[in-house]
Amino acid sequence: LWPLVILAAFGFYVSLVPLLPNDFWWHLKIGEVIFEQRAIPQTNMFGWTLPAAAPFTYGAWLAELLFYLLYRVGDVALISFTRTVLAVVTFGMIGVEAQRQARSWRLAALPLAFLALMALNNLTVRPQIWSWVPFALFYVLLTRFVEGQLDRRWLLLLPLVQIFWVNVHGAFVLGPIMVAMFLAGEGLRTLLRDPAALPWREVGWLGAILALCLVTTALNPQFGGIYGYVFNLMTDPPSQGLIMEWQSPTPSGIANTMFFVSLIVLLGALAYARYRPTPTEALVGVGFLWLALNGQRYVVWYGMVTMPLLG
């Protein structure tokens, strides 16, 4: 009952998050253009500070098309409802993973509450909502595989998910990065002859999945150039310097404050717990913590991979 109450309250809150005008409507219009013209635009259409003929990459073209298809069926209400469903499903997956780690639904409720509170400023309707479920799938499948809970063939889902992910949002780069982290961590465990380490054959399977994920990221209109699009976006001076969500979190507001509180609680739990994180858990946790400290929009990813560890 505890995590269900938290999840229900979170879903109720998400359904009330208003539709901001600056980060949704142009995506919806691009989706309409793609649907009607059966082609993805290649030039700037709505940036008034740029000439209309300026090249522009619509990296989230599939997310935009999905928005428009939902709009045709159920208007804005169906789009907002879809956002709520995606959030509840994603956080429910992480809650189940936290329960599996903690072996207690009550103990899993605390990490789930932290995660929900940390994500409060990352819930607006925009292409990122289509990244939530793929990210959670990557984390859950990889975690259960290295713990011997899943057959290796389940990981073949990841390259397939990557095909969808690379066409909906730039966060797709986190998929191969996460697989690489698990590969490095499990390779180190096997090298150190950890009694619970994977055999080299299974470590090699992680390497094969990483290669497949990198190959399937090329299945998009930009092919390998999609990485350049993401790099340019993440290093664009106006975006990095003027947009709040690209700034490092400060202990102000509920979401940012709970991020720092959760970090303190996690460090305290690690200091006093009998359990010691594996090299993989440490690498994934520190890697995504570094990412979160560099931008508020990345806090949600940090929360997904560290809250089960807190449990």
Side-chain angles (χ1 to χ4, degrees):
L1 184 61
W2 288 37
L4 283 178
V5 168
I6 293 171
L7 199 60
F10 174 68
F12 179 72
Y13 175 86
V14 174
S15 69
L16 299 179
V17 174
L19 194 65
L20 299 179
N22 59 303
D23 212 10
F24 168 72
W25 294 101
W26 76 273
H27 286 297
L28 181 62
K29 187 63 178 179
I30 291 297
E32 181 184 21
V33 171
I34 294 172
F35 180 82
E36 293 182 347
Q37 297 184 1
R38 299 296 193 270
I40 302 170
Q42 302 295 320
T43 58
N44 161 61
M45 298 186 70
F46 304 118
W48 64 274
T49 58
L50 295 173
F56 192 90
T57 301
Y58 295 92
W61 70 273
L62 182 56
E64 292 156 347
L65 179 60
L66 290 172
F67 280 149
Y68 181 67
L69 294 176
L70 290 170
Y71 183 79
R72 283 171 57 90
V73 175
D75 211 276
V76 174
L78 182 58
I79 297 175
S80 294
F81 175 72
T82 301
R83 181 266 313 270
T84 303
V85 170
L86 291 173
V88 171
V89 169
T90 301
F91 284 49
M93 292 170 60
I94 300 300
V96 170
E97 186 62 22
Q99 185 276 336
R100 189 180 70 84
Q101 300 283 359
R103 297 182 176 86
S104 165
W105 283 112
R106 286 189 177 185
L107 290 178
L110 177 63
L112 183 59
F114 272 133
L115 176 59
L117 292 169
M118 280 189 284
L120 292 184
N121 59 1
N122 273 287
L123 300 173
T124 55
V125 178
R126 54 184 179 174
Q128 183 175 337
I129 69 174
W130 302 105
S131 280
W132 294 339
V133 172
F135 185 91
L137 274 174
F138 265 71
Y139 172 72
V140 170
L141 291 180
L142 286 168
T143 299
R144 296 197 177 192
F145 168 73
V146 300
E147 293 181 6
Q149 302 292 320
L150 282 182
D151 184 83
R152 54 157 55 184
R153 288 172 291 185
W154 280 94
L155 294 190
L156 291 173
L157 288 175
L158 300 185
L160 299 178
V161 172
Q162 192 76 63
I163 298 173
F164 170 79
W165 198 358
V166 72
N167 288 290
V168 293
H169 190 247
F172 77 89
V173 297
L174 298 179
I177 288 174
M178 194 187 306
V179 178
M181 287 179 171
F182 273 80
L183 173 61
E186 292 306 308
L188 180 60
R189 291 181 71 187
T190 304
L191 191 64
L192 296 176
R193 298 182 180 180
D194 185 323
L198 296 175
W200 281 114
R201 180 182 67 258
E202 303 297 339
V203 175
W205 183 247
L206 283 172
I209 295 299
L210 173 59
L212 288 174
C213 286
L214 290 173
V215 169
T216 53
T217 56
L219 299 179
N220 70 91
Q222 305 299 320
F223 302 104
I226 194 69
Y227 285 97
Y229 159 74
V230 174
F231 178 80
N232 291 335
L233 183 62
M234 295 184 66
T235 56
D236 176 55
S239 299
Q240 301 297 318
L242 301 175
I243 299 178
M244 183 64 69
E245 65 179 339
W246 293 97
Q247 309 298 310
S248 297
T250 58
S252 60
I254 296 177
N256 287 346
T257 299
M258 294 313 299
F259 162 64
F260 286 104
V261 171
S262 74
L263 178 57
I264 293 171
V265 173
L266 177 61
L267 292 175
L270 290 173
Y272 288 97
R274 288 175 295 177
Y275 178 78
R276 290 293 174 261
T278 66
T280 302
E281 290 170 332
L283 182 60
V284 171
V286 171
F288 280 96
L289 173 61
W290 172 82
L291 191 63
L293 290 173
N294 278 276
Q296 298 176 37
R297 64 182 292 141
Y298 307 127
V299 168
V300 64
W301 311 128
Y302 156 83
M304 287 191 201
V305 300
T306 57
M307 290 303 98
L309 178 61
L310 176 60

